[in-house]
Amino acid sequence: MIQPVLPLEGITVVSIEQAVAAPFATRQLADLGARVIKIERDTGDFARTYDESVHGQASYFVWLNRTKESVVLNLKSELGNKALRAMLEQADVFVSNLAPGSVDRLGFGAQSVHEYNPQLIHASISGYGPGGSYTERKAYDLIIQCEAGLLSTTGTPESPAKAGVSVADIAAGMYTYSGILAALLQRARTGRGETLEISMLEALGEWMSQTHLLAVHGGSAPKRSGAQHASIAPYGPFPTSDGTVFFGLQNEREWMTFCREVIDRPQMAEDPRFTPNARRVENRPELHGIIEEVTTKLASGELIARLDAIGIANARMRDMFEYDQHPQLAERDRWRSVELPGGTARALVPPATPVGVEPHWGPVPTIGQHTDAVLSEFLDTTAPAVEFAGISEGGSNA
């Protein structure tokens, strides 16, 4: 069978990127067929050294950089600057997440680049966005989790806790990715490129919108509730005789069925202390006490069977090793291998891959692996590639 053409085949992306946010956006573009040229300093994207867990490579870097071409340039040098301009003259998309103002100082701000390539989509990621008193401030993932209010909502009543993954970086990367896709569609209509300015604060802030609305219009900030839901009950972990089962109810129909079929308390469905949902949240300790009188006498398997029988969403908590062996992912054939220096690693088929299209992934690149080939393609020069390499300007938004 002929492999269908991937949606972004023929699109060239050049990215001065590091850490998580920009690499996450460009890796997804690469997954859909775009050519991604990754510009690195001579020491490489510092995410390369975050850890050594995947055959000596960093887990972050392996996750975010398959298929890309690594080119080492000293962007402060005349040759390095010339090389990047030559690439951007022919590119479709330019992505960066250097320290605030760095790209403009190097001469590659949106206004400058659009003078010689008006069709280019220019996407920059920063912590707080241009303009305003926070523009020049450094922004790491934890810092933005604090500034967007996430830490005020996660953890226990006694102690806040950061999200276990880089949610601010991932949010910014997702909006950069989707913004670029929209800009490509717009360019097809107008023939003109676009300028995208993605703020990590605003990206994560969008994810916090429901909590923001609840607090500002409800008159009080949501309380940290551990693994329970701040505004739905029952929703969270419940002890059993041999472990813990997580489950959640979404509406009054499920509440009535739950009372009757799971905890054998049909009269609770009409108890004014526990209906509607807002009353259950207000009286959560009392509600949980009654539910746990039942669940602690049941084995986890028995409780799950009761919940499954009436269509109540539930789960046992999996660790990463158990997730790696999740039967649903295996049954749907969602794992593939990615090559990297020293071995291979498993990675999921991208969630938005078109049905019937098999991902075509290249390996994770070594530092500067493609410098010679890319420079010879874009530049008519006899200068050795080493003269273009060096430490480029940058800072972290990770």
Side-chain angles (χ1 to χ4, degrees):
M1 187 178 75
I2 299 175
Q3 166 75 7
V5 175
L6 289 166
L8 296 184
E9 285 189 23
I11 297 296
T12 297
V13 179
V14 176
S15 186
I16 312 176
E17 60 179 29
Q18 55 200 353
V20 177
F24 185 50
T26 59
R27 196 221 72 195
Q28 293 179 92
L29 298 172
D31 289 343
L32 291 179
R35 178 189 187 185
V36 177
I37 300 172
K38 179 184 180 77
I39 307 301
E40 298 190 69
R41 65 192 75 192
D42 63 344
T43 54
D45 179 342
F46 48 70
R48 286 181 178 274
T49 58
Y50 279 171
D51 61 77
E52 300 176 346
S53 60
V54 190
H55 303 293
Q57 308 298 309
S59 55
Y60 271 97
F61 196 84
V62 170
W63 166 40
L64 296 171
N65 290 284
R66 61 180 178 240
T67 314
K68 300 177 184 180
E69 300 171 48
S70 173
V71 173
V72 170
L73 295 177
N74 176 3
L75 297 177
K76 290 184 177 180
S77 73
E78 182 179 351
L79 284 175
N81 200 280
K82 177 182 177 182
L84 180 58
R85 171 166 175 154
M87 295 177 201
L88 295 182
E89 286 175 348
Q90 301 181 47
D92 299 284
V93 180
F94 177 43
V95 180
S96 66
N97 70 328
L98 299 185
S102 296
V103 169
D104 291 276
R105 288 192 295 271
L106 290 167
F108 298 108
Q111 184 175 352
S112 298
V113 173
H114 281 151
E115 289 180 0
Y116 54 83
N117 186 351
Q119 293 186 319
L120 186 76
I121 294 163
H122 189 289
S124 59
I125 304 172
S126 63
Y128 299 99
S133 59
Y134 276 60
T135 295
E136 299 297 324
R137 297 185 67 162
K138 285 188 175 181
Y140 303 118
D141 188 84
L142 172 61
I143 304 307
I144 297 299
Q145 288 191 38
C146 291
E147 293 287 351
L150 178 64
L151 254 69
S152 75
T153 68
T154 56
T156 65
E158 296 75 28
S159 177
K162 69 181 289 293
V165 296
S166 303
V167 290
D169 284 308
I170 293 169
M174 284 300 301
Y175 286 115
T176 304
Y177 165 61
S178 60
I180 289 169
L181 295 180
L184 287 169
L185 289 173
Q186 181 76 342
R187 190 182 70 172
R189 298 189 185 100
T190 67
R192 298 190 306 273
E194 301 285 347
T195 300
L196 303 173
E197 297 172 341
I198 310 299
S199 153
M200 291 169 65
L201 177 65
E202 292 159 19
L204 186 58
E206 171 64 26
W207 290 13
M208 296 299 297
S209 291
Q210 177 273 325
T211 305
H212 167 252
L213 290 168
L214 180 68
V216 172
H217 292 276
S220 62
K223 297 179 180 178
R224 293 191 297 271
S225 55
Q228 299 170 18
H229 198 291
S231 55
I232 303 175
Y235 196 124
F238 290 86
T240 66
S241 64
D242 59 355
T244 302
V245 171
F246 292 69
F247 61 82
L249 279 61
Q250 286 289 316
N251 53 58
E252 296 310 299
R253 178 187 56 79
E254 288 189 347
W255 167 243
M256 293 178 66
T257 308
F258 175 82
C259 290
R260 185 177 64 251
E261 303 294 337
V262 177
I263 62 174
D264 194 26
R265 304 282 200 281
Q267 69 279 5
M268 279 184 63
E270 303 296 335
D271 192 319
R273 295 173 298 170
F274 306 128
T275 187
N277 175 71
R279 303 291 84 74
R280 292 195 290 276
V281 173
E282 290 174 0
N283 297 295
R284 193 193 305 266
E286 189 174 2
L287 172 70
H288 279 215
I290 296 171
I291 293 173
E292 290 173 8
E293 287 179 5
V294 177
T295 64
T296 53
K297 297 174 184 176
L298 300 174
S300 295
E302 185 178 357
L303 177 55
I304 288 171
R306 291 190 185 187
L307 295 167
D308 283 344
I310 59 172
I312 300 296
N314 65 86
R316 304 187 202 211
M317 186 173 70
R318 295 176 183 266
D319 60 25
M320 287 294 94
F321 299 99
E322 292 168 320
Y323 164 74
D324 181 72
Q325 300 299 313
H326 200 295
Q328 180 71 1
L329 298 175
E331 291 159 10
R332 281 176 39 79
D333 190 27
R334 300 303 289 178
W335 293 106
R336 299 291 185 275
S337 291
V338 176
E339 295 181 8
L340 60 142
T344 62
R346 293 217 301 171
L348 283 175
V349 174
T353 302
V355 173
V357 174
E358 182 64 23
H360 177 67
W361 292 343
V364 176
T366 57
I367 299 174
Q369 179 179 343
H370 304 91
T371 303
D372 288 334
V374 170
L375 291 181
S376 65
E377 175 185 351
F378 286 93
L379 286 172
D380 181 17
T381 178
T382 58
V386 68
E387 293 186 14
F388 292 83
I391 300 176
S392 59
E393 182 176 348
S396 173
N397 288 321

